[in-house]
Amino acid sequence: MAIFQQSAICVDVTGGTDRPFIITFKSYIAGDAPVRIENLCEDLFLKLHQAECGQVALLSPHQAMLYTWDDPAKERKLMWNIYNNKGKGFLADFSQDGYGEEKVSFQSVKHSTLVATSSVTSKLSSTLKRLTPKSPEPCSSSSDDSESFELPENLAKTKKMRKDKVIVYWVSFMNGYQRVFALAQDERIAQQYRMMIDSERSNYEVYLSLSSMSLSVCVQTGVGVKELAYISVADSLPRWEVNVSNKWKQLAPDLTAWIEDKYQTEQKKCNLRDYIHIDLEKMQMTKPFFSELRRTYNPAVWLQLRKSDTYSYCHLKLQRFQIDNQLYEAVFPCVLYPAPLPGHLKSKDVKPCIEIVALKQYLPNLNQDIYKYVKVLVQEFCVNLDRGFVNYIFDILNHWKVEEKPAVRLRADLALIHMPLTILAIKSQTSAQKNVFFEYVHLSPLKLVLSLSSRGYTDTADSPSRSHYGIHKENRPKLFNSDLLEYLFNSWGSSLCDMKDVVIKMSYMELRQAPVPWAGLLEAASRHYWLQLVQQFYVLVLGLDVLGNPYSYIGDFSRTLKQYYEPCLGGTCARRLSRGSRDGAARLACCLADSSAALVETTPRVRPQRKRPGEEGSVVDNVPAAVLEGSRRSACGVALALTGLIARPTLDVCREATRAAQCPQLSWRGAEAGLRAAAERVSRLPARRRLPRHCPRAEGLRAYDACAARGAALLAQLSRGHYAASDGYIAHVHLARASLATLLLTTQHIFLVRGGGGGDGWHIEWVVKLDDLIDPPVVEGDKLILNIKQDEMVSYFSTDEKVIEISDSEVLQWLQTKIECALIHALEDKRCPAE
């Protein structure tokens, strides 16, 4: 039997749930005790006890003690009170740096023959009652529990009691690796202790604000480069409000879009006939009534950094994070996006979808980083996954994964069996990491609205499974390129069924006084959320029966309610401080966060530079300005641009686009803003941020071209994508501003389409194969003539030529050049005729 020479031993228990328990014993070192309590009072004896525990510790004046939990399995709350008082006492909040005060009323009895007892610092349980008559020191109690005070019966009858009030100051701070909780009656002593946690003056401060940030993910397929996903962080919609009877009222979406369009173009005044007159310099509305205007705006990315000698503060806000599925055959155009607010909350209550606040202190003498406050708030998200998108993502990850033979993995597992327990304990030991310390960590609950679909791409040569595995495939048809995905997506029923709006909730995670490194914190967080996700996925998605409570990791229902709250109701600086607390570190974190929220609304912003029509990105091409202008402002161009918001434009959308194109006061940008605001009010309406990128097969990946993206989207919508599988987009032009007719040129055909004529929103009036053109196109005045070879069996056209009328000569010449280039390109794979 081993004999321990030390005065204490530390026991660390890790594991459980889905892995074995590991119990580690180690020698006690300085700082292992949860807290050191110092009684700096002159004549007050303190008693300390754990909440819901009967064992009590007595602390005499001017003495200190190392306290540990009597029952670690119970609630870890330490209560302090005046000796010989039966009240509930006060909570010793030593989880973070802080200070405060408590007003205590006490009753004293003065007797000259009484002799003060010696200082006592010990655990009191059954012997507490025997010690009571021998403790004649002045006793005190809280004002709420003054009647619970007890005195010996003989003293109560012969002596008079005097009631006084005293203020007890408490301070919580870190002394090296040890947490200290000190109580004092003298304010000067408490002030000296508070100097250890006073905030510091910052040396510099940095603010970063971005209106948008995006990332385009492209993959190589058998038919060329495709844009798979578009990851973006977008800003919030500007809110325009008018002051009516000292109350701010939000303007209608169409009026908001019109005013915002004028504001972005730096116009000083804007008038809508005789109905509405607005002065944007003075931010006033003069018609139909005089009132004050207000604009509220939140940028996409907002970052604040503040640095002092030892403190560092960071505050990050991501307004609207979104991942779009850019495949044309996608079932869900949007993969990940913030869920709309519940009906009982107003739009002004919209918070950033992701918000992070962190406050760190560096101690040079200990080479230690102490994170005083870390809080991450994640709002409710909608997750929509279909078969095609998941397959492509899994295929990308497979290329990064290092393949190992099964025998190698088996030998690695067998080696773990013969590994000594001491090595396993060292790997799992987290309390020995003293260089990083987290005082308070709060990770918000997660709420996901999950939708799954086994559809998502056509079974063509560009599917990831074909391009990855080639011709070596199993005889049975496989929907996925992974057996795991095949099992998961087919476990809830038929491969053609969809599952929509499955709500998964995961409780929040809090750590206090945790000496763990960043890697340990990330591992604990991933386990916390992953276990809950898997258990609910079994029950809600797969529909499997699990023995016992499938939500056992969260706890019973009463405990679950305490560990979960709606993310939209949370805040990054909603920390509850004790009464009277003036913690410097907490004040720095909370005040900075509150001021930053106001700063976003009050700081003047530089308006974006106005771009000329067609000046989108840095695409260099010989496209005439009229073509670009028509693509953006014509009725058909507006409808195509809005396909980022509405998947398939119907006849009503095209009519609204025509109205927007014919209205001189409202450009397509304003129409987009108005429809975007209306779309966000509709519950769970997925919306792409922009159209998928067009990647020509000959040129590959290049800078994003909005005009080409609209043309490629038009090609993908013709005949439900029938022509998109074989043709490649080259160019398109709108024949008239107020018309829905559009000429589309591809690598194999020439289309004349009109919006609002079919089930998919676009009707093909006529189509000509490039192989059927007898001669190159001829320009005669404002007409472009196409000579077409007639079919001997069936006559598709009434005449042998097609006439395209375009009033702009520059556009006419450009279109003729494009058709000639398409004819030359179509002859590359053709055989030369024999002479």
Side-chain angles (χ1 to χ4, degrees):
M1 179 177 179
I3 300 177
F4 296 94
Q5 301 296 331
Q6 290 79 8
S7 60
I9 186 172
C10 293
V11 182
D12 184 31
V13 181
T14 59
T17 308
D18 63 338
R19 56 180 178 176
F21 282 100
I22 299 178
I23 304 176
T24 307
F25 298 88
K26 67 182 184 68
S27 301
Y28 173 83
I29 59 177
D32 282 343
V35 62
R36 184 176 82 242
I37 304 173
E38 296 182 357
N39 185 2
L40 306 176
C41 300
E42 295 292 336
D43 53 0
L44 295 181
F45 285 73
L46 304 177
K47 63 178 182 180
L48 309 160
H49 69 94
Q50 184 180 356
E52 301 181 359
C53 289
Q55 200 168 4
V56 180
L58 183 66
L59 185 61
S60 301
H62 302 292
Q63 288 202 356
M65 66 175 295
L66 295 175
Y67 183 85
T68 186
W69 305 109
D70 297 323
D71 190 347
K74 291 186 178 180
E75 188 177 11
R76 298 186 180 184
K77 287 185 178 180
L78 179 61
M79 310 299 296
W80 66 274
N81 206 339
I82 303 301
Y83 173 72
N84 205 20
N85 190 312
K86 293 183 179 179
K88 296 181 179 179
F90 306 94
L91 175 64
D93 187 8
F94 58 86
S95 59
Q96 304 174 60
D97 289 351
Y99 55 87
E101 60 185 41
E102 297 289 349
K103 293 183 180 180
V104 181
S105 62
F106 68 96
Q107 299 173 344
S108 60
V109 177
K110 198 171 183 180
H111 200 286
S112 58
T113 60
L114 294 178
V115 180
T117 60
S118 59
S119 59
V120 181
T121 304
S122 61
K123 296 282 185 176
L124 298 181
S125 56
S126 61
T127 60
L128 181 59
K129 293 184 179 180
R130 292 189 288 107
L131 292 177
T132 300
K134 300 179 182 179
S135 302
E137 71 278 357
C139 302
S140 62
S141 63
S142 63
S143 58
D144 297 334
D145 302 319
S146 58
E147 299 299 330
S148 63
F149 178 75
E150 290 184 356
L151 280 178
E153 186 177 355
N154 55 349
L155 294 177
K157 293 180 179 180
T158 59
K159 302 298 179 181
K160 294 183 179 180
M161 296 179 296
R162 186 178 65 183
K163 295 184 177 180
D164 294 323
K165 289 187 178 180
V166 66
I167 298 179
V168 178
Y169 303 93
W170 61 269
V171 183
S172 175
F173 61 95
M174 287 290 294
N175 184 14
Y177 298 122
Q178 179 65 60
R179 170 64 64 178
V180 179
F181 186 79
L183 298 103
Q185 292 176 266
D186 193 343
E187 186 177 3
R188 293 175 298 177
I189 297 177
Q191 183 64 29
Q192 292 178 358
Y193 275 77
R194 285 200 295 263
M195 293 175 62
M196 307 171 106
I197 57 175
D198 281 344
S199 57
E200 301 172 349
R201 184 181 297 274
S202 62
N203 299 327
Y204 60 87
E205 190 171 11
V206 178
Y207 288 93
L208 174 65
S209 178
L210 300 177
S211 61
S212 63
M213 188 170 61
S214 59
L215 174 66
S216 179
V217 180
C218 299
V219 294
Q220 182 69 41
T221 64
V223 294
V225 180
K226 268 189 178 182
E227 186 179 32
L228 173 63
Y230 183 70
I231 306 172
S232 62
V233 183
D235 53 356
S236 66
L237 287 174
R239 289 170 49 88
W240 285 89
E241 298 172 303
V242 60
N243 193 348
V244 179
S245 300
N246 295 327
K247 292 184 180 179
W248 291 100
K249 303 293 184 179
Q250 187 175 0
L251 297 178
D254 51 353
L255 183 58
T256 298
W258 176 70
I259 299 177
E260 181 65 21
D261 185 66
K262 304 299 182 182
Y263 179 83
Q264 292 294 338
T265 54
E266 300 184 1
Q267 297 188 20
K268 298 180 180 180
K269 295 183 180 181
C270 52
N271 302 329
L272 185 59
R273 297 181 181 177
D274 292 334
Y275 301 115
I276 299 177
H277 292 181
I278 292 177
D279 189 346
L280 294 177
E281 281 189 325
K282 299 180 179 179
M283 295 297 289
Q284 293 175 349
M285 176 185 289
T286 57
K287 267 192 177 184
F289 55 88
F290 183 83
S291 179
E292 184 182 359
L293 283 177
R294 182 175 70 177
R295 180 181 183 268
T296 306
Y297 170 81
N298 294 317
V301 180
W302 189 88
L303 176 64
Q304 177 190 12
L305 295 175
R306 176 172 285 189
K307 184 73 171 62
S308 64
D309 294 337
T310 61
Y311 282 97
S312 300
Y313 176 80
C314 176
H315 191 183
L316 174 64
K317 294 181 182 180
L318 301 181
Q319 193 64 31
R320 185 178 175 88
F321 180 77
Q322 183 169 320
I323 301 178
D324 296 335
N325 186 351
Q326 297 296 87
L327 300 176
Y328 289 112
E329 59 273 9
V331 177
F332 303 111
C334 189
V335 177
L336 179 69
Y337 61 97
L341 282 177
H344 63 278
L345 294 180
K346 299 180 180 179
S347 58
K348 66 179 180 180
D349 300 327
V350 176
K351 297 181 179 180
C353 64
I354 300 176
E355 189 171 3
I356 302 174
V357 175
L359 177 65
K360 186 192 74 170
Q361 183 185 19
Y362 175 70
L363 301 179
N365 55 340
L366 299 176
N367 191 23
Q368 183 185 33
D369 288 332
I370 300 180
Y371 288 86
K372 301 289 185 180
Y373 186 82
V374 177
K375 191 164 187 178
V376 179
L377 181 63
V378 180
Q379 298 295 332
E380 177 184 354
F381 273 90
C382 295
V383 182
N384 303 327
L385 299 175
D386 58 32
R387 151 190 163 190
F389 186 81
V390 174
N391 256 337
Y392 275 108
I393 294 296
F394 200 85
D395 191 65
I396 293 175
L397 297 179
N398 280 341
H399 287 83
W400 293 349
K401 182 180 179 182
V402 179
E403 289 291 337
E404 293 182 354
K405 295 182 179 180
V408 177
R409 296 195 296 267
L410 179 60
R411 284 195 294 267
D413 291 341
L414 293 176
L416 294 177
I417 300 177
H418 303 284
M419 186 176 295
L421 293 178
T422 54
I423 299 179
L424 293 177
I426 293 175
K427 290 184 177 181
S428 62
Q429 189 70 26
T430 58
S431 61
Q433 302 290 339
K434 297 289 186 180
N435 57 340
V436 178
F437 192 87
F438 291 91
E439 288 189 5
Y440 178 80
V441 177
H442 180 94
L443 305 181
S444 73
L446 297 182
K447 185 177 181 182
L448 304 177
V449 182
L450 181 63
S451 298
L452 301 173
S453 175
S454 294
R455 299 171 292 139
Y457 68 83
T458 56
D459 192 11
T460 58
D462 62 340
S463 62
S465 58
R466 286 181 178 266
S467 60
H468 183 71
Y469 294 100
I471 59 175
H472 301 286
K473 297 188 66 177
E474 298 179 3
N475 295 328
R476 64 181 179 88
K478 290 190 63 175
L479 298 179
F480 299 93
N481 53 15
S482 169
D483 294 334
L484 176 62
L485 297 179
E486 180 86 11
Y487 171 75
L488 291 179
F489 273 78
N490 293 334
S491 295
W492 61 76
S494 172
S495 61
L496 297 179
C497 73
D498 295 344
M499 180 170 291
K500 297 182 179 180
D501 298 340
V502 178
V503 180
I504 297 179
K505 298 181 180 180
M506 289 167 278
S507 62
Y508 66 86
M509 174 183 172
E510 271 193 1
L511 292 179
R512 297 178 183 269
Q513 300 294 311
V516 297
W518 272 107
L521 176 62
L522 295 178
E523 181 184 1
S526 61
R527 286 176 51 81
H528 173 81
Y529 292 110
W530 179 252
L531 289 176
Q532 300 179 63
L533 177 63
V534 170
Q535 291 172 356
Q536 297 187 48
F537 191 86
Y538 283 153
V539 178
L540 300 177
V541 178
L542 300 182
L544 302 179
D545 295 331
V546 182
L547 295 179
N549 183 10
Y551 307 99
S552 58
Y553 185 73
I554 305 176
D556 56 11
F557 290 102
S558 61
R559 188 179 178 186
T560 303
L561 295 177
K562 297 179 181 179
Q563 292 184 342
Y564 177 81
Y565 60 86
E566 289 294 334
C568 59
L569 302 178
T572 53
C573 292
R575 178 173 57 163
R576 182 180 62 85
L577 300 177
S578 300
R579 179 166 54 93
S581 174
R582 299 290 184 184
D583 175 20
R587 183 170 67 252
L588 176 64
C590 294
C591 292
L592 283 180
D594 295 338
S595 64
S596 64
L599 183 65
V600 178
E601 306 298 334
T602 58
T603 302
R605 300 173 185 83
V606 179
R607 296 181 180 179
Q609 184 179 1
R610 185 179 180 183
K611 296 181 179 180
R612 291 175 296 180
E615 189 179 350
E616 299 180 2
S618 58
V619 180
V620 179
D621 200 352
N622 58 349
V623 183
V627 176
L628 296 177
E629 182 70 13
S631 178
R632 297 176 66 252
R633 293 185 176 272
S634 68
C636 207
V638 173
L640 284 172
L642 294 180
T643 53
L645 290 173
I646 303 172
R648 293 181 178 179
T650 58
L651 181 60
D652 295 335
V653 176
C654 295
R655 288 174 179 173
E656 293 296 329
T658 305
R659 291 176 51 193
Q662 293 175 349
C663 181
Q665 289 85 6
L666 187 63
S667 64
W668 81 273
R669 185 191 303 274
E672 181 185 15
L675 287 181
R676 179 183 168 191
E680 290 191 356
R681 293 200 307 268
V682 180
S683 176
R684 307 197 187 283
L685 177 64
R688 283 192 177 114
R689 283 295 172 193
R690 63 163 175 79
L691 292 174
R693 177 192 302 270
H694 172 59
C695 302
R697 298 181 184 180
E699 301 178 13
L701 186 64
R702 62 175 186 174
Y704 183 76
D705 188 353
C707 181
R710 295 185 190 116
L714 176 60
L715 175 61
Q717 295 175 18
L718 294 181
S719 302
R720 299 184 180 272
H722 171 72
Y723 293 99
S726 57
D727 291 28
Y729 166 80
I730 295 180
H732 76 286
V733 60
H734 300 287
L735 300 184
R737 178 185 178 91
S739 174
L740 296 177
T742 302
L743 188 72
L744 176 64
L745 175 63
T746 68
T747 55
Q748 298 185 19
H749 297 86
I750 300 177
F751 300 91
L752 181 63
V753 299
R754 192 174 297 274
D760 289 340
W762 305 101
H763 171 65
I764 301 177
E765 289 194 1
W766 53 261
V767 56
V768 176
K769 290 185 178 182
L770 293 180
D771 294 341
D772 293 339
L773 292 180
I774 301 176
D775 300 320
V778 179
V779 175
E780 294 182 0
D782 59 349
K783 299 179 182 180
L784 184 66
I785 301 176
L786 304 178
N787 293 321
I788 304 168
K789 177 177 59 177
Q790 288 288 337
D791 195 334
E792 298 179 357
M793 302 295 299
V794 180
S795 176
Y796 290 99
F797 313 106
S798 58
T799 61
D800 59 351
E801 66 178 16
K802 286 293 180 183
V803 179
I804 304 172
E805 296 184 3
I806 300 177
S807 58
D808 194 330
S809 60
E810 182 183 4
V811 175
L812 198 63
Q813 294 293 335
W814 172 81
L815 182 59
Q816 180 189 18
T817 305
K818 284 293 182 180
I819 296 177
E820 292 177 353
C821 293
L823 290 174
I824 297 174
H825 179 73
L827 294 176
E828 290 183 356
D829 298 332
K830 300 294 188 303
R831 292 183 179 181
C832 296
E835 294 181 358

